[in-house]
């Protein structure tokens, strides 16, 4: 450690992580009466001749993601490892430390 207070970060005491489920449920209950209006607003953006194409695409994307679920993301990665390095990192059943 470099002896800085909180190691340069901000304090998250009692504030870190996900909000409690009861808080999420409370917020969801408060928003529920407006959900049909919000969906209708998005639908109006999609069908309006006055809406910009970018707004139509954004509204359509939101409607589709909430109706059918967000598509899974695929992450590709290429890892190249030298086999001698891999052998040094992994001990295959040997109980004696390598020298």
């Amino acid at each position: 450690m470099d002896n800085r207070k909180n190691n340069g970060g901000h304090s998250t005491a009692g504030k870190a992580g996900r909000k409690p489920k009861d808080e999420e449920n409370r917020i969801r209950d408060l928003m529920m009466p407006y959900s049909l209006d919000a969906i209708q607003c998005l639908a109006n953006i999609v069908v309006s001749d006055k809406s910009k194409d970018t707004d139509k695409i954004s509204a359509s994307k939101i409607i589709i993601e909430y109706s059918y679920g967000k598509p899974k993301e695929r992450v590709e990665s290429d890892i190249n490892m030298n086999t001698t390095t891999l052998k040094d990192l992994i001990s295959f059943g040997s109980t004696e430390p390598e020298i």
Side-chain angles (χ1 to χ4, degrees), residues 4 6 11 16-17 22 27 29-30 40 45 48 51 53 56-57 60 68-70 73 77 80 87 91-92 97 99:
R4 289 183 289 170
N6 295 322
S11 173
D22 59 334
I27 292 170
D29 290 343
L30 288 171
Q40 186 61 50
I45 292 170
S48 174
S51 297
D53 288 341
K56 289 182 179 188
I57 292 169
S60 298
Y68 298 102
K70 202 169 191 175
E73 291 185 30
S77 63
N80 295 321
K87 193 188 307 183
S91 172
F92 292 100
I99 300 175

Side-chain angles (χ1 to χ4, degrees), residues 74-80:
R74 184 174 177 197
V75 178
E76 292 184 28
S77 63
D78 293 328
I79 299 174
N80 295 321

Side-chain angles (χ1 to χ4, degrees), residues 1 6 9 15-16 20 25 32 34 37 42-43 45 55 57 62-63 69 74-75 77 79 81 85-86 88 90 95:
M1 298 301 269
N6 295 322
K15 301 175 188 142
N25 292 335
M32 191 60 73
Y34 305 103
D37 291 337
L42 291 170
I45 292 170
D55 294 337
I57 292 169
I62 292 170
I63 292 170
R74 184 174 177 197
V75 178
S77 63
I79 299 174
M81 292 186 71
T85 304
L86 184 58
D88 293 339
I90 301 173
T95 56

Side-chain angles (χ1 to χ4, degrees), residues 5-38:
K5 183 179 179 184
N6 295 322
N7 200 19
H10 64 280
S11 173
T12 58
K15 301 175 188 142
R18 183 180 171 143
K19 290 186 179 188
K21 270 295 199 192
D22 59 334
E23 179 71 9
E24 283 185 24
N25 292 335
R26 187 182 72 77
I27 292 170
R28 187 178 300 114
D29 290 343
L30 288 171
M31 301 281 76
M32 191 60 73
Y34 305 103
S35 61
L36 290 177
D37 291 337

